[in-house]
Amino acid sequence: MPNINVKPSGNVVAAANGSTILAALLAAGEPIAHKCDGKAECGSCHIFLLEGRKGVSKITPAENAKLDSIVGVGSKSRLACQVTLGDEDVTVELLGFASGF
Ligand code: FES
């Protein structure tokens, strides 16, 4: 059962293996935007996946295409709705509300 270490809050969210980062964060009450409800269409759930990148699902063409359209993406950018957790803990930086989504 992986933990999600959330920045900048410092909260730690226990997540189920196989859940998406978005689903786990929402279940824990973390403030993350999700305008298209997980369809990789809105980009509002953009996060930086700081640690644990090797233990999660790989980026899909749909996610990659959406990320390409977002200002401010970097090498650690992911869409929280498209990242399925494995066994490893991850550290994420939430950006959505701070960047105006
Ligand atoms: S919720 Fe819309 S892209 Fe993730």
Side-chain angles (χ1 to χ4, degrees):
M1 196 159 149
N3 285 327
I4 304 173
N5 302 300
V6 182
K7 294 188 175 198
S9 69
N11 294 340
V12 178
V13 171
N17 181 318
S19 74
T20 66
I21 288 178
L22 178 65
L25 293 177
L26 289 175
E30 292 290 329
I32 181 167
H34 53 104
K35 290 182 180 175
C36 74
D37 286 326
K39 299 186 183 104
E41 293 174 353
C42 69
S44 66
C45 67
H46 174 216
I47 59 169
F48 288 143
L49 182 56
L50 302 177
E51 295 173 7
R53 287 185 285 168
K54 291 188 174 155
V56 301
S57 61
K58 298 205 181 317
I59 200 161
T60 64
E63 181 182 1
N64 202 34
K66 187 70 223 172
L67 284 170
D68 278 347
S69 72
I70 299 172
V71 175
V73 295
S75 63
K76 296 179 180 175
S77 290
R78 294 295 305 262
L79 297 177
C81 68
Q82 301 299 303
V83 182
T84 302
L85 293 160
D87 293 326
E88 293 181 31
D89 292 356
V90 298
T91 299
V92 303
E93 182 176 353
L94 301 188
L95 307 165
F97 287 100
S99 61
F101 281 113

